[in-house]
């Protein structure tokens, strides 16, 4: 079920009013929200609801055993068991075909022809997100950051809660579970912020991202040799803003929908293209994933505590595995390696020369340079093959003039993408306050009119969100 559809609108209308009608019966409210979340997830394929139920129940049981065990060795074994089972589930569904095919090809390259079984496996939507949430729950219990849940319903709701289930943000147990201890109050929800997040997300997805895809990005990436250097270059720019608008749109809508149901998620994006260092970029882009990788992978590997070389190694391992998290393909591994290498090089340069950036001009130059590096890495992220990526890069390097795709409409879309990353946050907060001070009827009219306009302006059909594939 996609956010930008009539089906979801009807679904959420029912969920909203039913859940708030049960607010005085919190246990039944949670059960209803769990049932609604499983219906939402089963809308694609009901069979994977059993997988979601297994991961959630298993995490609940392991968490209870870890908390009740007084033996450090037993606790560690339980943690390892949880991590192994969850990663095995993720690995089988997402990486079995990739690793099997890669192993067969490697053997063939040295003259050994193996005939390993290849099973066509359907990838469950959102499996990377809900397995990471299950892992974080058990790890947090093991570390003592949170107590194990006494109620299975709390863990079931935490892992399956439908706003963030299929494409994030990755919500931490320490952030969400305490909110389940007290029933939410309808008069305390941030409705004005929620509505504007949802409307802004729909605009970014339905207008900016979808039109950039159809008018510029998809045609060039499908056959880059048919287009000029300028078209190829602008297709890279277009994809940078398409993926930002597409993914941040889902996060904004998820945060807004959760707010309307009485729950708060942390922001997942913070104007990432205004960053002037790669480290700053990852503090602004997909914040829930980058912070998850930092806390549950980079720091346990040793972080920056064991010398320069091991710090660079840990950065590279973390980003390569972050690339692999995005997809079972070599292009994602390369994408992660490029970012990991850039983080290591940047850290080495800043440490060696004790660089302290204060000049506004220098920041602008670094921001532009970083954006082009990010764009280069997006080529490998988006291209279906290495050959396609190589052709695009060579086409850009030919410096051929002329264009068939860069229309005034496309330029406007790109400028909107730039504005979203540099519009003052104080201006957005002021508009939220202004909207919140309007009469509820006025707010409703504004929301209704914007929805009608978005529906009329958006292209035909409903394009899935990019991160559904992860």
């Amino acid at each position: 079920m996609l956010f930008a559809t009539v089906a979801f609108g009807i679904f959420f209308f029912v969920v909203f009013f039913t859940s708030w009608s049960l607010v005085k019966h919190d246990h039944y409210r949670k059960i209803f929200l769990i049932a609604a979340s499983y219906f939402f997830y089963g809308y694609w394929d009901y069979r994977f609801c059993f997988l979601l139920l297994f991961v959630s129940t298993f995490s609940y049981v392991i968490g209870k055993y870890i908390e009740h065990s007084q033996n450090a060795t037993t606790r560690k074994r339980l943690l390892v068991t949880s991590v192994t089972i969850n990663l095995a589930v993720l690995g089988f569904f997402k990486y079995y075909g990739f690793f099997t095919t890669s192993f067969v090809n490697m053997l063939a390259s040295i003259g050994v022809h193996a005939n390993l079984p290849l099973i066509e496996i359907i990838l469950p939507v959102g499996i990377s997100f809900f397995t990471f949430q299950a892992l974080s729950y058990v790890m947090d219990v093991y570390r003592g950051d949170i107590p194990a849940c006494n109620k299975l319903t709390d863990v079931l709701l935490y892992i399956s809660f439908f706003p963030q289930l299929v494409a994030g943000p990755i919500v931490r147990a320490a952030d969400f579970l305490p909110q389940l201890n007290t029933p939410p109050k309808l008069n305390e929800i941030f409705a004005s912020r929620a509505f504007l997040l949802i409307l802004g997300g729909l605009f970014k997805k339905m207008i900016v991202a979808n039109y950039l895809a159809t008018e510029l990005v998809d045609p060039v990436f499908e056959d880059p040799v048919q287009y000029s250097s300028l078209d190829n270059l602008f297709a890279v720019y277009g994809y940078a803003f398409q993926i930002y608008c597409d993914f941040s749109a889902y996060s904004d809508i998820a945060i807004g929908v959760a707010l309307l149901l009485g729950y708060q998620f942390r922001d997942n994006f913070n104007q990432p293209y205004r960053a002037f260092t790669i480290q700053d970029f990852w503090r602004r882009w997909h914040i829930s994933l980058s912070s998850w990788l930092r806390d549950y992978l980079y720091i346990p590997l040793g972080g920056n505590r064991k010398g320069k070389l091991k710090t660079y190694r840990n950065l590279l391992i973390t980003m390569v595995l972050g690339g692999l998290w995005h997809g079972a393909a070599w292009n994602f591994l390369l994408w992660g390696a490029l970012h990991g290498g850039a983080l290591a090089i940047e850290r080495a340069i800043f440490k060696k020369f004790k660089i302290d950036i204060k000049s506004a001009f220098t920041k602008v130059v670094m921001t532009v340079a970083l954006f082009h590096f990010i764009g280069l890495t997006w080529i490998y992220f988006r291209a279906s093959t290495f050959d396609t990526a190589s052709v695009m890069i060579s086409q850009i390097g030919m410096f051929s003039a002329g264009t068939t795709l860069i229309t005034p409409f496309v330029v406007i879309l790109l400028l909107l993408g730039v504005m979203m990353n540099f519009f003052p946050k104080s201006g957005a907060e002021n508009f939220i306050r202004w909207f919140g001070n309007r009469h509820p009827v006025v707010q409703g009219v504004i929301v209704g009119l914007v929805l009608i306009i978005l529906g009329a302006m958006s292209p035909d059909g409903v394009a899935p969100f990019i991160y559904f594939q992860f």
Side-chain angles (χ1 to χ4, degrees):
M1 190 181 298
L2 300 173
F3 281 159
T5 60
V6 174
F8 178 78
I10 296 171
F11 165 80
F12 183 68
F13 180 85
V14 173
V15 170
F16 177 83
F17 285 100
T18 305
S19 65
W20 282 111
S21 69
L22 293 171
V23 72
K24 293 183 179 180
H25 308 280
D26 195 44
H27 178 67
Y28 294 108
R29 184 178 194 265
K30 291 177 184 177
I31 292 175
F32 170 74
L33 287 174
I34 293 167
S37 297
Y38 274 77
F39 174 82
F40 175 85
Y41 191 64
Y43 199 81
W44 282 281
D45 192 326
Y46 73 91
R47 294 172 296 178
F48 293 124
C49 289
F50 297 105
L51 177 65
L52 179 61
L53 180 62
F54 165 75
V55 169
S56 303
T57 306
F58 176 75
S59 299
Y60 166 76
V61 172
I62 288 290
K64 294 295 289 184
Y65 274 111
I66 287 176
E67 185 174 66
H68 290 152
S69 176
Q70 301 299 316
N71 186 284
T73 302
T74 301
R75 286 166 54 84
K76 184 169 288 188
R77 286 175 178 170
L78 288 167
L79 175 66
V80 171
T81 299
S82 173
V83 172
T84 302
I85 295 297
N86 276 292
L87 291 182
V89 169
L90 179 62
F92 175 75
F93 282 99
K94 191 165 184 176
Y95 303 110
Y96 172 82
F98 169 66
F99 284 120
T100 302
T101 302
S102 298
F103 184 65
V104 169
N105 291 339
M106 183 190 70
L107 291 177
S109 67
I110 59 175
V112 178
H113 298 284
N115 189 20
L116 297 179
L118 284 173
I119 307 170
E120 188 162 344
I121 300 170
I122 301 173
L123 180 66
V125 175
I127 187 171
S128 296
F129 289 93
F130 67 73
T131 52
F132 266 35
Q133 291 201 179
L135 284 168
S136 70
Y137 168 72
V138 175
M139 290 181 191
D140 285 351
V141 172
Y142 174 80
R143 293 172 174 179
D145 294 337
I146 58 170
C149 288
N150 292 319
K151 299 176 182 177
L152 174 60
T153 50
D154 285 358
V155 177
L156 290 176
L157 181 56
Y158 160 62
I159 295 177
S160 71
F161 192 38
F162 72 88
Q164 43 68 232
L165 176 57
V166 296
I170 302 170
V171 179
R172 299 286 186 92
D175 291 332
F176 186 78
L177 289 173
Q179 298 183 55
L180 300 180
N181 295 332
T182 305
K185 297 179 181 179
L186 184 60
N187 62 346
E188 293 182 359
I189 65 173
F190 302 101
S192 58
R193 182 170 187 265
F195 283 129
L196 291 177
L197 280 169
I198 292 169
L199 293 177
L202 290 173
F203 173 76
K204 285 194 284 188
K205 169 60 179 173
M206 297 171 66
I207 306 301
V208 182
N210 284 0
Y211 275 118
L212 279 174
T214 58
E215 300 295 313
L216 177 61
V217 176
D218 290 350
V220 175
F221 273 90
E222 185 176 340
D223 191 6
V225 76
Q226 298 297 321
Y227 297 95
S228 68
S229 295
L230 208 56
D231 284 330
N232 276 266
L233 179 62
F234 270 72
V236 175
Y237 294 157
Y239 185 68
F241 291 115
Q242 180 203 346
I243 193 171
Y244 165 71
C245 289
D246 191 286
F247 190 24
S248 67
Y250 193 96
S251 294
D252 288 349
I253 297 170
I255 294 168
V257 167
L259 269 176
L260 290 177
L261 294 174
Y263 302 106
Q264 296 187 45
F265 296 163
R266 295 187 185 186
D267 290 341
N268 204 26
F269 287 85
N270 181 20
Q271 298 181 311
Y273 294 137
R274 72 183 302 160
F276 60 92
T277 66
I278 191 72
Q279 184 183 48
D280 189 33
F281 173 80
W282 278 104
R283 287 172 177 164
R284 296 169 175 271
W285 177 275
H286 200 350
I287 299 168
S288 63
L289 174 64
S290 58
S291 62
W292 196 101
L293 292 172
R294 179 197 65 208
D295 295 342
Y296 298 107
L297 183 57
Y298 174 69
I299 292 176
L301 282 171
N304 61 359
R305 303 187 303 275
K306 297 182 179 181
K308 292 187 293 184
L309 291 179
K310 288 187 177 180
T311 298
Y312 304 150
R313 178 205 65 184
N314 296 338
L315 285 169
L316 190 60
I317 291 173
T318 299
M319 294 310 300
V320 167
L321 292 177
L324 187 62
W325 177 89
H326 283 85
W330 290 106
N331 58 311
F332 292 116
L333 283 169
L334 176 59
W335 175 78
L338 288 170
H339 278 266
L343 282 166
I345 293 169
E346 178 183 272
R347 184 181 184 88
I349 292 173
F350 273 66
K351 286 283 185 181
K352 182 175 179 60
F353 297 103
K354 296 181 173 55
I355 297 175
D356 183 16
I357 307 300
K358 294 182 179 180
S359 165
F361 175 77
T362 304
K363 288 182 179 180
V364 170
V365 172
M366 291 178 66
T367 298
V368 173
L370 177 65
F371 176 75
H372 283 82
F373 169 77
I374 299 296
L376 172 67
T377 66
W378 283 138
I379 296 175
Y380 292 101
F381 192 94
R382 170 62 175 82
S384 55
T385 65
F386 282 123
D387 287 341
T388 301
S390 298
V391 170
M392 282 200 71
I393 294 171
S394 64
Q395 284 290 104
I396 293 171
M398 290 173 61
F399 301 109
S400 57
T403 176
T404 57
L405 298 176
I406 306 173
T407 63
F409 180 57
V410 166
V411 172
I412 290 171
L413 294 175
L414 293 173
L415 290 175
L416 284 171
V418 173
M419 289 173 59
M420 290 174 193
N421 281 271
F422 289 92
F423 187 77
K425 296 190 73 173
S426 58
E429 293 301 324
N430 289 336
F431 185 72
I432 290 174
R433 282 194 291 271
W434 175 87
F435 183 78
N437 290 330
R438 301 308 98 190
H439 191 278
V441 174
V442 176
Q443 291 185 21
V445 170
I446 293 173
V447 171
L449 287 174
V450 172
L451 289 174
I452 292 171
I453 293 170
L454 289 176
M457 292 178 61
S458 62
D460 294 334
V462 182
F465 288 87
I466 291 173
Y467 266 64
F468 275 20
Q469 63 184 298
F470 308 134

